[in-house]
Amino acid sequence: PSRQNDTTRLPHTSSRRDRIFRAMAVANDAGQAHASVSTPDGAPVHHSLSRQQLEDLADERELAEKVATMNTMQRFCHRFGFSDTFLSGPKYAKEAYAYYKANPLRFKNEILSGLTVSLVYVPESVAFSFVANVDPIVGLYATFFMGIVTALVGGRPGMVSGAAGAMAVVAVKVMETDGLLPQATLLEWGEIAGCTGDVSSGCLSLREQAYNARLEWLFMVMIFCGVIQIVLGVLQAGKLMRMIPTTVMIGFVNGLAIIIFKAQIESFKEKDWDSAFAVFDSDSNNIITSSEVSAVFASELPDLDSTQLAAYVSSVVSEVDADSSGDISPAEFETSSDYAIHGGYEDVRVWRTLDQAVTWIMLFYVATSMAIVYILPKYTKIIPSSLAAILWCLIFEHAINRPLIGLDTPTVKDRAAVNGALPMYHTPQVKLTGKSFIHVLPISFSLAAVGLIESVLTLQFVDEILDDTSDGSGRYTQECVAQGLANAISGMFTSMGGDAMIGQSTINVKSGGYGRLSTTFASVIFLVFVVAASQVIELIPLAALTGVLFMIIIYTFDWTCLPLMSGDIKSLICGRQEDGTRVDYAGRRQRACFFDTNDRIRWKDSTIIILVTVITERTNLAIAVGVGVVVAALFYAWDNSTGALKVERREEAVWGCERGTTRVAYDVRGELFFGTDREFKNHFRVGPDPEDVVIYMDRCKIKDYSSLNALNSLYERYADAGKTVRVHNTDPDNRKLIDLLGVKFLPQVIDEDLSVSGVSHVVIHEAHAKRPSFFEGITDGVSFEES
């Protein structure tokens, strides 16, 4: 209130230090109607500042006082625009404690919001683990490490990170049998080998060894990814996000949604036991003998001699042969998928059919979980909708379906067991060489790029929710480094890494979790859930996870682009009148109907969206974004090179020492760059032009070396014809580029003085004689008459 009536007279200056001093003067004179102060040079100023100006000055005074009380680390964060972290030491902890003690409501909101996020973490982490083709515990560990590290040192307090779909769809390339690391490559590198020596204690087939080797390489790739992200963060690569057009991001999220959808419909496939049994049953007599098992495992264990192979096969058969008959029946073969015999072949999965009752139960789970995720938030947000959907399916499966209906559906345990132990440090067991490093480097960079793109986008989105309009460059850098540190640590603790999660971040912020307390608490409680409730997680039906992810897919896909793109396609086919009605091919006007819409985008924008979506689905997200940016830049350059440059030729009288004569002047407007340089040169008529030609570049933007080369080419063409061309420029941006390259590549006269029109023909002829070296000694600001 005192600030509203304060009309202190203060000077205007652009110096931040002077503004802070004036703000302190405002505070000292608060309550006075007027105050007279002086400028830094002592001159009095007699004018009043507005209320907004006084508030800004007071805010700067408060900031100056806050900076004065900061320790070294806090000043470092403030200097580079970073968010304050626990690295500031005890002072940060004391300030946080004092703040939450004074604001108990905020403390409650942070804790409850963190608890909500920790519950939402579980189903999505398990689901994205299956997308990446790894055990659920690998994704659960990743969520903990990504969440805790970014919560403590990330650039945006309140933003949530964990195992995310964008990273999972790239990481799966490492785990696929025909992906980045096929079995032949691992054999060549020496990562896997046949068993030798004593096999009584157990021996893994090449296929099982290959899976374990890929998992170890996944951990190493995540370490590489983290290091790359840290380097990119230090280089402030987050600023490059401004170069990614909206159309590219639409294609990015649409492609991501399609990839996740394709991964989730795999849950409606089941193992083809008949095909698996046929791998061993070579004579098709519906019985597997020891000799048939030996024939299969001979290729999987090539380094065993006959005695060792016989001993190993005997242990494999005895494990499955429940009736001790020496042979394996189909029923015995299908008893458990954990038997060692199942490591001798590649699983074949087939679609479930509608004739199977289990399929309808799974569809019921998918439909009801989607309905709960969609409807529940409209009535209450006390419990996360995705968690409620999982609990509903969990209760129905184990309380109604299995005991009463008897149609067991696949659960998380059927896919992979969840070991609820605490994460331990683990050095990836890989043979790292120059060849292998080069082989995995591209996918490491792809993971780093995808993670940073997703994280910076999420940070920007959270800034919009919180109405934070401050410069985010420092936070981008801090978040990139934090993401890299989190991914590197994840790789060291047997997890698959991740990035920022826009859905959970939205839930957290809108629930009141603005600070680091909410995300830190969420990560800690999440780890408690994993360790204490791992057996409950194993009981979750896979169809329930599929339904939750289907809703995430629906929310991820940008549906608004479809009517815009369809409107563009319809306009290309039918055309459109200015009043919005369409005409057919014969030119007859048609009545307005549902398909008539003026909402459409350019065909070029539609092309970029479709192109990025397709490339994302066929390759990976990083390549798609790179291609999209390049194509968008080419479209932009093409648009600006077509009719964007205007050159007008006119004759004007010469005043000064040659009165009564005329010369030709060219007025150039627009952008001069590599796309318009040829069009620019074609406008000049060297033959008919007189000896004196002036080019006015004041309203033209010189963009690159091609522009300067075009001007230089004109100079040489006119000089060869015995004429002189001079350039007049008053644009400071043009002057900056000319100063950079003009001395070497642009020998003609560049004059920023309007007296350019008074140049003498004596100077012109001398210029022809001396050419590029004549004007080397002429400095800016010296008129041609003086020369």
Side-chain angles (χ1 to χ4, degrees):
S2 62
R3 216 184 278 174
Q4 298 177 6
N5 300 324
D6 190 3
T7 55
T8 306
R9 304 176 188 274
L10 292 172
H12 285 296
T13 177
S14 59
S15 170
R16 180 173 180 81
R17 182 178 181 183
D18 292 336
R19 291 201 307 270
I20 293 177
F21 286 155
R22 292 200 310 273
M24 296 175 68
V26 170
N28 292 334
D29 297 334
Q32 300 177 5
H34 296 276
S36 179
V37 296
S38 302
T39 60
D41 57 4
V45 177
H46 303 287
H47 65 275
S48 298
L49 294 179
S50 65
R51 172 186 172 184
Q52 183 62 48
Q53 290 172 319
L54 292 175
E55 290 178 351
D56 292 341
L57 291 174
D59 291 340
E60 291 186 358
R61 176 190 63 80
E62 294 174 3
L63 178 60
E65 293 177 349
K66 184 177 179 180
V67 171
T69 61
M70 290 181 179
N71 58 28
T72 303
M73 189 63 191
Q74 288 176 322
R75 290 185 181 182
F76 174 82
C77 294
H78 175 73
R79 168 67 179 82
F80 292 98
F82 297 164
S83 299
D84 200 5
T85 70
F86 78 101
L87 297 176
S88 299
K91 187 175 187 302
Y92 176 80
K94 291 179 181 178
E95 291 176 350
Y97 175 78
Y99 174 79
Y100 288 120
K101 183 178 181 180
N103 299 273
L105 181 60
R106 280 296 307 276
F107 179 79
K108 182 202 74 171
N109 291 339
E110 294 277 347
I111 295 298
L112 292 180
S113 179
L115 180 62
T116 301
V117 170
S118 66
L119 296 174
V120 179
Y121 263 152
V122 176
E124 295 190 10
S125 299
V126 174
F128 288 133
S129 299
F130 292 145
V131 171
N133 196 24
V134 296
D135 292 343
I137 196 63
V138 176
L140 293 170
Y141 284 166
T143 296
F144 167 71
F145 285 109
M146 294 300 301
I148 192 67
V149 173
T150 56
L152 295 175
V153 298
R156 173 77 264 179
M159 193 171 78
V160 178
S161 295
M167 295 282 280
V169 297
V170 181
V172 72
K173 302 296 182 183
V174 180
M175 299 303 300
E176 290 175 340
T177 56
D178 56 348
L180 181 71
L181 301 172
Q183 184 172 304
T185 300
L186 295 173
L187 278 170
E188 179 186 352
W189 292 355
E191 296 288 352
I192 60 177
C195 292
T196 58
D198 183 18
V199 296
S200 59
S201 59
C203 185
L204 295 178
S205 66
L206 291 178
R207 184 171 287 102
E208 292 173 307
Q209 292 181 57
Y211 176 85
N212 294 335
R214 293 187 191 104
L215 190 60
E216 294 292 331
W217 270 107
L218 176 62
F219 302 150
M220 180 58 72
V221 164
M222 283 303 166
I223 295 176
F224 291 156
C225 166
V227 173
I228 293 172
Q229 287 180 326
I230 293 174
V231 173
L232 292 176
V234 173
L235 297 178
Q236 298 185 336
K239 293 182 178 180
L240 296 178
M241 283 297 300
R242 70 184 68 177
M243 301 298 297
I244 301 180
T246 302
T247 49
V248 174
M249 295 313 307
I250 292 175
F252 173 89
V253 297
N254 290 353
L256 174 62
I258 293 173
I259 292 174
I260 298 176
F261 173 77
K262 290 177 62 178
Q264 287 310 297
I265 60 176
E266 292 289 322
S267 62
F268 287 96
K269 287 184 176 181
E270 62 177 342
K271 183 173 181 176
D272 187 359
W273 289 103
D274 294 336
S275 298
F277 192 85
V279 172
F280 297 91
D281 188 15
S282 56
D283 54 6
S284 302
N285 63 352
N286 215 31
I287 291 294
I288 298 177
T289 63
S290 297
S291 59
E292 290 173 330
V293 175
S294 297
V296 173
F297 276 93
S299 60
E300 290 293 332
L301 305 171
D303 296 332
L304 294 182
D305 57 31
S306 58
T307 304
Q308 293 170 338
L309 180 61
Y312 179 76
V313 170
S314 176
S315 64
V316 169
V317 172
S318 61
E319 181 184 27
V320 185
D321 186 16
D323 57 4
S324 302
S325 63
D327 297 327
I328 302 174
S329 66
E332 293 172 331
F333 185 78
E334 299 176 13
T335 302
S336 174
S337 59
D338 295 330
Y339 289 153
I341 193 173
H342 299 302
Y345 61 90
E346 195 69 45
D347 280 347
V348 177
R349 301 179 65 83
V350 294
W351 291 103
R352 296 179 181 272
T353 64
L354 295 179
D355 296 335
Q356 299 173 274
V358 174
T359 305
W360 290 101
I361 297 294
M362 295 179 66
L363 290 174
F364 171 73
Y365 287 158
V366 172
T368 54
S369 60
M370 292 179 66
I372 292 173
V373 172
Y374 178 73
I375 298 174
L376 184 62
K378 296 182 179 181
Y379 297 95
T380 180
K381 295 183 179 179
I382 297 177
I383 180 174
S385 57
S386 59
L387 180 64
I390 296 296
L391 291 177
W392 153 251
C393 296
L394 180 66
I395 295 172
F396 187 92
E397 172 71 16
H398 297 282
I400 299 176
N401 179 32
R402 297 199 175 199
L404 301 179
I405 304 176
L407 298 174
D408 298 0
T409 65
T411 62
V412 171
K413 186 178 182 179
D414 296 329
R415 193 74 179 266
V418 179
N419 180 15
L422 289 172
M424 302 297 291
Y425 175 80
H426 172 75
T427 301
Q429 301 300 307
V430 300
K431 295 182 179 180
L432 184 61
T433 63
K435 182 178 181 180
S436 60
F437 174 74
I438 294 174
H439 187 78
V440 301
L441 184 60
I443 197 167
S444 301
F445 188 84
S446 296
L447 285 165
V450 169
L452 294 187
I453 291 172
E454 187 83 1
S455 299
V456 174
L457 281 177
T458 304
L459 192 152
Q460 293 175 342
F461 183 73
V462 174
D463 280 349
E464 292 177 3
I465 295 177
L466 298 178
D467 197 23
D468 187 349
T469 58
S470 61
D471 182 17
S473 300
R475 296 197 302 276
Y476 298 162
T477 299
Q478 184 179 2
E479 186 63 31
C480 291
V481 174
Q483 291 287 333
L485 182 62
N487 276 306
I489 294 176
S490 295
M492 298 174 188
F493 284 85
T494 65
S495 62
M496 69 181 208
D499 57 42
M501 309 173 77
I502 190 169
Q504 284 76 0
S505 299
T506 303
I507 293 173
N508 186 51
V509 173
K510 290 189 175 181
S511 300
Y514 306 142
R516 299 188 185 277
L517 177 61
S518 60
T519 48
T520 303
F521 182 76
S523 300
V524 174
I525 294 299
F526 171 77
L527 182 62
V528 173
F529 288 160
V530 171
V531 174
S534 58
Q535 294 181 348
V536 176
I537 296 175
E538 290 180 339
L539 300 178
I540 297 176
L542 290 178
L545 299 175
T546 299
V548 171
L549 278 181
F550 275 174
M551 290 306 300
I552 293 177
I553 292 167
I554 293 174
Y555 293 144
T556 300
F557 196 93
D558 192 339
W559 300 98
T560 60
C561 71
L562 297 182
L564 296 176
M565 293 168 61
S566 62
D568 178 52
I569 295 173
K570 293 164 190 170
S571 67
L572 290 175
I573 296 175
C574 301
R576 184 182 298 279
Q577 302 299 316
E578 293 183 358
D579 59 1
T581 59
R582 296 183 180 278
V583 294
D584 59 15
Y585 289 107
R588 294 171 297 190
R589 187 179 298 273
Q590 296 178 337
R591 295 180 60 185
C593 63
F594 171 76
F595 295 100
D596 291 327
T597 173
N598 286 314
D599 297 329
R600 67 177 188 268
I601 55 180
R602 303 180 310 161
W603 68 268
K604 298 174 184 176
D605 296 326
S606 299
T607 300
I608 294 174
I609 293 174
I610 296 174
L611 179 66
V612 174
T613 302
V614 172
I615 296 177
T616 297
E617 193 275 329
R618 301 308 302 173
T619 57
N620 70 55
L621 301 172
I623 295 176
V625 170
V627 171
V629 170
V630 170
V631 173
L634 290 176
F635 280 150
Y636 176 81
W638 178 262
D639 291 339
N640 283 304
S641 64
T642 307
L645 186 73
K646 306 294 182 183
V647 181
E648 180 182 349
R649 182 180 183 274
R650 72 172 189 273
E651 293 185 357
E652 61 183 13
V654 178
W655 56 272
C657 55
E658 300 245 350
R659 296 180 183 278
T661 62
T662 60
R663 68 178 178 195
V664 170
Y666 288 88
D667 283 325
V668 186
R669 300 187 301 276
E671 292 187 357
L672 182 57
F673 68 110
F674 65 87
T676 58
D677 59 340
R678 184 174 297 274
E679 179 186 0
F680 168 75
K681 291 184 289 186
N682 291 340
H683 279 89
F684 291 86
R685 301 162 59 186
V686 179
D689 284 347
E691 293 184 356
D692 191 4
V693 178
V694 176
I695 304 175
Y696 289 95
M697 303 293 293
D698 308 85
R699 292 183 291 177
C700 176
K701 290 292 184 181
I702 300 176
K703 292 296 185 180
D704 55 11
Y705 168 66
S706 297
S707 311
L708 299 177
N709 188 61
L711 291 171
N712 188 55
S713 175
L714 284 176
Y715 168 76
E716 293 178 351
R717 287 170 58 191
Y718 277 99
D720 292 341
K723 304 172 184 180
T724 294
V725 60
R726 289 167 291 120
V727 177
H728 179 264
N729 169 69
T730 57
D731 190 298
D733 295 332
N734 292 347
R735 178 78 260 177
K736 188 179 301 182
L737 188 59
I738 290 169
D739 288 341
L740 181 64
L741 295 174
V743 174
K744 180 177 181 181
F745 298 103
L746 196 63
Q748 65 268 28
V749 177
I750 306 289
D751 187 22
E752 297 179 359
D753 194 338
L754 292 178
S755 62
V756 65
S757 56
V759 71
S760 170
H761 278 291
V762 176
V763 177
I764 294 174
H765 291 305
E766 290 180 357
H768 286 304
K770 298 183 179 180
R771 220 170 184 186
S773 61
F774 174 73
F775 295 100
E776 291 177 358
I778 300 180
T779 59
D780 291 342
V782 180
S783 66
F784 288 130
E785 289 81 354
E786 293 173 348
S787 300

